[in-house]
Amino acid sequence: DAGVIQSPRHEVTEMGQEVTLRCKPISGHDYLFWYRQTMMRGLELLIYFNNNVPIDDSGMPEDRFSAKMPNASFSTLKIQPSEPRDSAVYFCASSLMVGFADTQYFGPGTRLTVL
Amino acid sequence: AQSVAQPEDQVNVAEGNPLTVKCTYSVSGNPYLFWYVQYPNRGLQFLLKYITGDNLVKGSYGFEAEFNKSQTSFHLKKPSALVSDSALYFCAVGNAGNMLTFGGGTRLMVKP
């Protein structure tokens, strides 16, 4: 298996622009997680899905952030409009159906820079 | 609420010496405990986990961790450090029905 795939790996954009981050989970994994990593705040869970349904989005910082999972093999995290404080590394992770005792497998991340 | 503490921002060790990266946790019920490693410009990689059973858990790359319920600790250890072990290490805790909570990370520096 190729593991969790994220694209793009790097994104540089200007303040106010829309940014879309993409994730393909490991085939057969029913849970998908979006995290954000910054020096100041460490690793934060933004949202997670179970069987394509958003379960908990309490970590999404504000309405500018939205996430979708239209099918079992694809998810997007969108920021509109983007701001410099959104600059961070965004990780996607997936795990099997058994839930929170199960290992999460992380993608390589997308490094977002908002100028 | 569950929480994880990694009290050391950085651990320095000489190559060949044993290493310990500390982790303590707070959670209701039986804990699920994980260690992940992050190399520069990479995602987090799973090292090992404790769910139930033997308190000493062996993982990838020669790492092991010991679950200590009375001290609510899950320290990561390796008998002989390698320069290539230099990375950022994260401890995480969860339990049935709850998401994983990650610690702030500990940077391990192994010097030749």
Side-chain angles (χ1 to χ4, degrees):
Chain A
D1 199 313
V4 176
I5 298 172
Q6 290 186 248
S7 64
R9 292 293 310 275
H10 302 274
E11 177 80 34
V12 180
T13 190
E14 294 187 345
M15 182 174 62
Q17 297 298 305
E18 177 180 296
V19 175
T20 299
L21 311 181
R22 298 172 176 80
C23 175
K24 175 179 169 56
I26 293 173
S27 176
H29 283 192
D30 288 338
Y31 286 83
L32 183 139
F33 310 84
W34 282 101
Y35 290 88
R36 178 172 68 176
Q37 185 180 37
T38 62
M39 289 292 293
M40 292 296 295
R41 301 174 68 90
L43 194 64
E44 304 172 276
L45 176 66
L46 300 177
I47 185 172
Y48 78 94
F49 295 83
N50 181 17
N51 290 323
N52 314 337
V53 177
I55 303 300
D56 186 350
D57 64 354
S58 60
M60 296 284 262
E62 48 196 276
D63 292 344
R64 297 184 296 106
F65 286 69
S66 62
K68 294 181 180 180
M69 192 166 185
N71 58 62
S73 60
F74 184 66
S75 176
T76 60
L77 178 68
K78 185 175 295 186
I79 308 172
Q80 167 62 15
S82 58
E83 297 182 1
R85 60 193 169 122
D86 302 329
S87 297
V89 181
Y90 291 82
F91 290 104
C92 176
S94 69
S95 68
L96 282 170
M97 201 174 79
V98 295
F100 309 118
D102 196 41
T103 301
Q104 292 183 27
Y105 293 89
F106 284 73
T110 295
R111 183 175 297 277
L112 174 64
T113 303
V114 183
L115 303 174
Chain B
Q2 60 192 37
S3 64
V4 177
Q6 294 183 241
E8 302 154 315
D9 289 337
Q10 183 163 315
V11 170
N12 299 309
V13 64
E15 188 175 30
N17 284 359
L19 69 88
T20 299
V21 183
K22 296 180 180 177
C23 172
T24 59
Y25 66 90
S26 174
V27 68
S28 299
N30 295 320
Y32 304 146
L33 294 157
F34 294 75
W35 276 103
Y36 285 83
V37 60
Q38 184 180 26
Y39 297 101
N41 301 313
R42 304 286 294 276
L44 279 68
Q45 296 178 32
F46 169 75
L47 271 181
L48 52 82
K49 66 181 177 183
Y50 170 84
I51 304 300
T52 187
D54 195 346
N55 289 345
L56 183 64
V57 179
K58 293 188 183 296
S60 306
Y61 312 121
F63 284 93
E64 59 186 29
E66 185 166 13
F67 170 61
N68 188 316
K69 188 173 183 178
S70 63
Q71 297 186 4
T72 61
S73 67
F74 191 58
H75 302 331
L76 181 70
K77 299 183 179 184
K78 187 175 182 180
S80 179
L82 300 173
V83 173
S84 57
D85 292 330
S86 298
L88 190 57
Y89 290 80
F90 291 93
C91 182
V93 68
N95 66 3
N98 281 324
M99 290 306 309
L100 286 185
T101 298
F102 284 83
T106 298
R107 187 164 301 280
L108 174 65
M109 297 291 292
V110 182
K111 298 184 179 180

